[in-house]
Amino acid sequence: MSTIDYTKNEVNVHGNRSLKEIDDLIVAPLDRIPDKRFFIAIGFTSTLLLIGVIGVALSLYYGTGLWGNNNPVGWALPIVNFVFWVGIGHAGTLISAILFLLRQRWRNGIARFAEAMTIFAVITALIFPIIHTGRPWVAAVYLLPYPNQHDIWVNFNSPLLWDVFAVSTYFTVSLVFWYVGLIPDFAVLRDRATGKIKKVIYSIFSLGWRFSNRHWQHYEMTYLILAGLATPLVLSVHTIVSFDFAVSILPGWHTTIFPPYFVAGAIFSGFAMVQNSLIVIRKVFDMNDLIPLKTLETMNKIILLTGTMVGYAYSMEFFIAWYSGSQPEYFTFVNRAFGPYSWAYWTMFSCNVFIPQLFWFKKIRTSIIPMFIIAIFVNVGMWFERFVIVITSLSRDFLPSSWAYYRPTITDFAILLGSFGLFFTLTLLFTRFLPSIAIAEIKAVSEGAQPSHHGGEDHE
Amino acid sequence: MSKLYSVAALFNTPDDIMHAAAKVADAGYEKYDVNTPYPVHGMDGAMKLKSSKMGYYTIAIGLTCMSLMLFFMYWVYNIDYPQVIGGKPLFPLPAFVPIMFEITVLTGAVLTVAVMLIFYFKFPNNAHPLHDSGYMKAVSSDKFGINIEAEDSNFDLDKVKAFLSSLGAYKVDEIYFDEEEANTKHKILDTKFVFGMFLIAGFTSLSVYLHMNKVLYMPPFDWMLVQHKVTSQDKSDFFNNGISSREPVKGTVARGFMPYLFTDDPEGAAENLVNPYVADEENIALGKRKYLTYCSPCHGDLGKGDSRLKGQFPNGPTVHSDKVKSWTDGHIYHVISEGQNVMPGYKKTVTRKERWAIVNYVRTLQRALDAKEEDMQ
């Protein structure tokens, strides 16, 4: 790989490549046998995954007693991880749907990748509530309203059930959205494919797509509709996840600020994760001009914005705890900051509120290494945010006699590591087997792609 | 047999294709199509297409499914299984809103795509003559194509070719297709298909069988059949005598039981104990039930000493012997309570009333098996 001049600030998504070159560049990772870097990376992530698989298998065989969950802290790490991963997914939908509706052209280069991350993040997230039931093979059915021999239905009043609907809808719609976007690209792959097996597979997945304008017309409309549906959906998902907490009466959970605060936090951590992965991808696959520095800088600005919003939420929570005059509420917050979990609280606070403020400096915002490190801090901070919310409130609630300190066990950590392994393994496989940049979308916004008398520039 | 499908022309730039599409539409062709690697802005106008109606489907589907879901939740809570949860009303509309919203989005998105695929892209009959042609390969990458179908009413091969060339096409091709291959009639009896179906059926049955009969009986899928706790009759390593539960302290009186005064004194019992219960129908029925549970394994259903134990334990003797007949109720009561030699006592498991009821039942048996003439009346 040649040396990259990171100071060069490309403004356009596309550089000056011809349509053909765009095809070649994006499809290249699919056609060649990946190099050593890829195998090292996937070896590493699948080792993590294996650790997680062992953790889960032990937990299923011996039971969830292997985890640190104790009596007041019944939710513990599985829910922390669930909320964390669902949050990661939100950035993907934000980029692919909301920025699409807002006609943000810089999104095109990263939309496909971000959507894929959404799907993988939701898959990873879904594992946690499911294994948390202890016996997932029975629980999975009890979560859905279906006619059964007990003649009993699920509880439609419960935020946990709303969550089932929200997260499964989110997963399905993201998957459909992603797949619809992939159809034309599958057709491109089909027409380029030389091997017979590849050709059959791509033919099946391209659903007979033939780039007909009579199809493009409905296709574009459908894509717009999906974006329109996904936008309120993504906001609803973390809102409903926050209801899991906010609808209860536990001090520290029972607050109305939770829905917007959770959504902001989700976008915050999701953008950090996408930014991290993109930096790796553009380096490994030489896609510097398809994912220009400008894109990363814009993402950093969003991280700065949402990080500040999250900081505001933290302060507001404190203020309301005092202002409400409710003693348990007040105690909970003082306990968070100065109680036995103050180490987690201050980790969260510094990673989420202080460190991202460095993005005010353009120099930091536009240099790869610092921004990469800051984004990692953001993700650590956001994981701790969920930890603080879930654990501190549960471990010390109204009744001092039932307080207990929660400590995760090694199995908890194994599963947490495994979730990262799963996520990154899927991401790596995705970059290897599917076009990680939307070919048709990139072509549509490349220079001279739209008829001149229409001023194609404003087209999306 | 090969048949002409269309004449296809390729162009180099988006400007060319816009121009060509407009010209083709103006020339009155109806069955033609434009193929571009990405949606070209303004093409719908050039082709004079009506705008897409997808949005209406989404609205209709989303709202219908939302109402159905609302009705379903109403039905569940108010008709099928009314129950009050958390003191909420049976029709808590605000609590239903999140689910209604999610269902609207879910069905709206998924079914809109299904409508697009099935009604507009003709899935699953989406094989097409253009597939795999050089034309297709060009338009999927960087060229812009237009093709006029042979079925168009104005179609005339030479004229169309000349027309397309005159529009600036750099290449004009005829596209043929194999009629046999394009036949989309269902081939249900195709051997491969039938074989595949059998394979699926076999696989499904086998996996269902294994699942229901084997997998569900293996830990950890076995409904927690295996647990780390002492169940009744288990041997325990914890106590020296290996019994899993402790014996009560001497003299313990269980709730509902009275201390028994005639231990080791059958004669006293025989003399002093009087059956306080009248042998009415109800009492005898209770006695029968208890007799069949506690006594019949050793003494036989009718007390004839025909044990079911097959020699695992000394047979209980008949209760129809003259000896037992001559005993007072109190004596039989004593044997039931305290046992006799190898026969264990039942005062810990059978209540006082039940023991007397058994006595009455034994008496009934004795009388029934040796009925006198006057009993028949």
Side-chain angles (χ1 to χ4, degrees):
Chain A
M1 205 170 69
S2 56
T3 51
I4 298 159
D5 179 11
Y6 287 120
T7 54
K8 208 171 83 196
N9 194 353
E10 293 99 333
V11 183
N12 291 324
V13 174
H14 38 77
N16 295 328
R17 294 173 188 275
S18 74
L19 300 181
K20 187 99 189 130
E21 280 169 348
I22 292 179
D23 276 356
D24 291 340
L25 184 67
I26 298 178
V27 179
L30 281 61
D31 285 344
R32 60 161 187 253
I33 305 232
D35 59 10
K36 232 178 31 220
R37 285 175 301 183
F38 178 83
F39 287 110
I40 293 175
I42 200 149
F44 178 67
T45 60
S46 48
T47 310
L48 290 186
L49 175 59
L50 190 69
I51 295 176
V53 169
I54 293 173
V56 170
L58 289 175
S59 312
L60 292 186
Y61 193 84
Y62 292 110
T64 47
L66 290 186
W67 303 344
N69 303 29
N70 57 25
N71 199 352
V73 189
W75 267 10
L77 229 52
I79 302 301
V80 174
N81 296 339
F82 165 74
V83 179
F84 175 75
W85 281 112
V86 173
I88 296 287
H90 278 40
T93 322
L94 186 95
I95 291 171
S96 63
I98 301 186
L99 297 184
F100 176 79
L101 295 182
L102 295 178
R103 300 276 187 255
Q104 295 292 313
R105 290 180 49 204
W106 59 270
R107 86 175 249 295
N108 286 30
I110 59 173
R112 164 72 46 74
F113 188 78
E115 269 168 51
M117 288 189 45
T118 295
I119 291 166
F120 303 146
V122 177
I123 291 177
T124 313
L126 275 174
I127 290 175
F128 288 100
I130 300 239
I131 60 172
H132 195 192
T133 61
R135 285 181 292 158
W137 49 94
V138 255
V141 229
Y142 290 166
L143 295 177
L144 302 171
Y146 74 109
N148 54 58
Q149 73 272 40
H150 309 299
D151 217 356
I152 197 168
W153 298 98
V154 292
N155 179 4
F156 294 111
N157 283 325
S158 160
L160 296 181
L161 188 80
W162 305 344
D163 217 9
V164 171
F165 275 84
V167 177
S168 54
T169 300
Y170 185 41
F171 177 68
T172 318
V173 172
S174 304
L175 191 68
V176 167
F177 194 31
W178 186 59
Y179 181 64
V180 167
L182 270 168
I183 293 176
D185 291 2
F186 273 125
V188 172
L189 294 175
R190 172 196 69 198
D191 287 346
R192 290 171 59 97
T194 39
K196 179 142 170 62
I197 299 176
K198 269 192 173 181
K199 191 161 186 107
V200 169
I201 293 174
Y202 291 142
S203 299
I204 291 173
F205 283 108
S206 64
L207 298 181
W209 182 257
R210 50 184 190 273
F211 300 94
S212 149
N213 193 62
R214 290 173 196 272
H215 289 173
W216 274 125
Q217 191 199 10
H218 300 298
Y219 175 90
E220 281 204 289
M221 180 53 91
T222 306
Y223 200 79
L224 184 69
I225 291 170
L226 288 181
L229 286 173
T231 300
L233 175 65
V234 67
L235 300 181
S236 86
V237 172
H238 235 56
T239 299
I240 292 181
V241 168
S242 80
F243 283 169
D244 288 349
F245 304 97
V247 174
S248 80
I249 54 163
L250 208 64
W253 285 7
H254 187 61
T255 55
T256 44
I257 201 176
F258 259 27
Y261 158 33
F262 267 52
V263 172
I267 293 165
F268 181 49
S269 66
F271 263 73
M273 189 68 103
V274 175
Q275 186 243 52
N276 265 349
S277 316
L278 280 178
I279 289 177
V280 175
I281 293 294
R282 76 202 279 274
K283 185 133 189 142
V284 172
F285 294 111
D286 275 329
M287 287 177 175
N288 289 334
D289 51 353
L290 292 174
I291 309 168
L293 200 55
K294 179 90 182 144
T295 304
L296 297 178
E297 192 195 339
T298 317
M299 298 184 68
N300 292 340
K301 285 180 185 164
I302 294 181
I303 293 177
L304 176 59
L305 172 73
T306 47
T308 313
M309 283 160 74
V310 166
Y312 166 80
Y314 294 160
S315 328
M316 191 41 91
E317 272 187 326
F318 250 98
F319 171 72
I320 292 293
W322 166 76
Y323 187 67
S324 69
S326 151
Q327 203 204 357
E329 192 74 24
Y330 182 69
F331 166 78
T332 301
F333 280 92
V334 173
N335 178 48
R336 271 186 193 172
F338 306 108
Y341 286 106
S342 54
W343 55 274
Y345 186 82
W346 292 108
T347 312
M348 160 191 109
F349 209 91
S350 24
C351 289
N352 289 349
V353 184
F354 299 139
I355 295 181
Q357 298 304 322
L358 290 172
F359 279 147
W360 285 108
F361 302 103
K362 190 169 175 86
K363 187 110 190 98
I364 295 180
R365 215 161 58 211
T366 50
S367 24
I368 297 290
I369 306 281
M371 72 163 100
F372 189 81
I373 294 173
I374 291 177
I376 289 180
F377 273 120
V378 167
N379 270 319
V380 171
M382 282 310 289
W383 188 86
F384 271 103
E385 179 195 303
R386 279 66 181 246
F387 183 87
V388 165
I389 292 174
V390 173
I391 309 294
T392 58
S393 281
L394 281 174
S395 78
R396 292 192 160 185
D397 65 358
F398 299 105
L399 203 61
S401 62
S402 61
W403 289 356
Y405 192 78
Y406 164 81
R407 222 178 250 102
T409 62
I410 188 157
T411 320
D412 280 316
F413 286 119
I415 298 177
L416 175 59
L417 278 186
S419 71
F420 281 91
L422 175 65
F423 177 77
F424 286 112
T425 309
L426 288 173
T427 310
L428 281 172
L429 288 178
F430 160 73
T431 51
R432 168 75 184 83
F433 289 107
L434 290 173
S436 46
I437 292 177
I439 302 177
E441 267 183 45
I442 278 284
K443 281 181 183 167
V445 293
S446 65
E447 236 168 283
Q450 298 298 344
S452 45
H453 52 272
H454 263 284
E457 287 301 73
D458 60 20
H459 176 74
E460 185 62 24
Chain B
M1 204 194 82
S2 277
K3 213 178 143 193
L4 183 65
Y5 168 71
S6 69
V7 173
L10 286 169
F11 298 82
N12 272 319
T13 67
D15 282 335
D16 290 348
I17 192 73
M18 286 294 283
H19 170 74
K23 279 278 167 358
V24 171
D26 287 341
Y29 291 105
E30 270 163 7
K31 299 206 162 169
Y32 71 98
D33 207 344
V34 173
N35 304 75
T36 51
Y38 52 86
V40 174
H41 195 57
M43 183 55 79
D44 299 350
M47 287 174 72
K48 300 195 171 63
L49 298 178
K50 287 197 213 86
S51 59
S52 174
K53 300 261 179 307
M54 292 310 299
Y56 297 103
Y57 290 108
T58 314
I59 285 270
I61 293 169
L63 292 184
T64 313
C65 294
M66 184 192 81
S67 323
L68 286 177
M69 190 66 199
L70 181 61
F71 178 74
F72 172 66
M73 292 190 286
Y74 166 80
W75 176 80
V76 163
Y77 272 10
N78 290 270
I79 298 174
D80 189 49
Y81 201 133
Q83 59 177 326
V84 176
I85 296 169
K88 296 197 184 83
L90 284 179
F91 191 69
L93 193 59
F96 288 167
V97 169
I99 292 186
M100 281 156 61
F101 172 77
E102 298 301 332
I103 289 292
T104 315
V105 171
L106 177 69
T107 54
V110 173
L111 295 179
T112 303
V113 171
V115 165
M116 172 181 83
L117 293 180
I118 294 168
F119 293 136
Y120 292 105
F121 299 178
K122 302 280 177 281
F123 187 79
N125 293 328
N126 48 6
H128 198 272
L130 284 182
H131 285 145
D132 226 11
S133 61
Y135 172 77
M136 192 79 249
K137 290 195 170 137
V139 297
S140 72
S141 174
D142 59 347
K143 300 294 184 235
F144 305 83
I146 188 163
N147 75 95
I148 301 179
E149 293 175 28
E151 294 203 343
D152 192 282
S153 45
N154 293 338
F155 189 82
D156 177 298
L157 185 57
D158 297 327
K159 252 168 64 190
V160 167
K161 279 171 99 170
F163 175 54
L164 287 175
S165 308
S166 76
L167 293 175
Y170 79 92
K171 195 169 169 209
V172 179
D173 273 334
E174 291 159 29
I175 301 219
Y176 289 91
F177 68 106
D178 188 340
E179 248 181 316
E180 196 51 38
E181 217 175 288
N183 183 358
T184 55
K185 259 190 245 137
H186 299 298
K187 296 166 185 152
I188 285 196
L189 289 181
D190 186 89
T191 30
K192 263 195 219 157
F193 179 76
V194 173
F195 183 71
M197 283 292 150
F198 272 114
L199 219 61
I200 291 173
F203 177 75
T204 315
S205 326
L206 188 73
S207 47
V208 168
Y209 173 82
L210 288 179
H211 181 78
M212 303 306 279
N213 292 295
K214 301 284 174 244
V215 176
L216 283 183
Y217 292 92
M218 288 195 261
F221 305 107
D222 58 0
W223 294 285
M224 301 205 219
L225 285 181
V226 182
Q227 299 185 13
H228 291 290
K229 67 173 188 190
V230 182
T231 48
S232 47
Q233 315 295 335
D234 267 357
K235 186 170 155 44
S236 151
D237 301 328
F238 194 73
F239 298 114
N240 278 340
N241 61 0
I243 299 178
S244 54
S245 60
R246 297 288 72 196
E247 298 213 314
V249 178
K250 265 237 170 327
T252 307
V253 181
R255 289 185 69 164
F257 287 78
M258 296 271 276
Y260 187 64
L261 299 175
F262 300 99
T263 315
D264 303 330
D265 183 15
E267 310 310 324
E271 265 170 49
N272 296 317
L273 287 178
V274 181
N275 189 345
Y277 292 97
V278 184
D280 56 9
E281 208 171 319
E282 192 194 342
N283 193 266
I284 292 179
L286 174 67
K288 176 175 182 183
R289 216 165 53 241
K290 295 295 158 185
Y291 178 89
L292 289 176
T293 307
Y294 291 105
C295 321
S296 71
C298 299
H299 288 280
D301 283 352
L302 298 177
K304 290 200 240 170
D306 45 348
S307 153
R308 295 202 292 274
L309 292 176
K310 305 196 179 123
Q312 294 168 43
F313 191 82
N315 264 13
T318 172
V319 296
H320 300 287
S321 60
D322 291 338
K323 177 174 130 203
V324 178
K325 275 186 186 160
S326 69
W327 281 357
T328 61
D329 282 3
H331 200 149
I332 302 182
Y333 182 82
H334 176 85
V335 173
I336 298 175
S337 306
E338 288 295 321
Q340 177 180 306
N341 301 325
V342 292
M343 172 176 159
Y346 285 86
K347 69 174 180 218
K348 285 180 199 155
T349 38
V350 184
T351 65
R352 213 168 132 260
K353 177 177 180 187
E354 288 165 354
R355 275 177 269 159
W356 283 118
I358 294 176
V359 172
N360 283 336
Y361 183 65
V362 169
R363 290 285 186 232
T364 313
L365 283 178
Q366 287 172 346
R367 193 161 162 193
L369 286 200
D370 186 18
K372 308 211 169 50
E373 203 52 46
E374 70 251 30
D375 293 334
M376 296 301 189
Q377 281 144 22

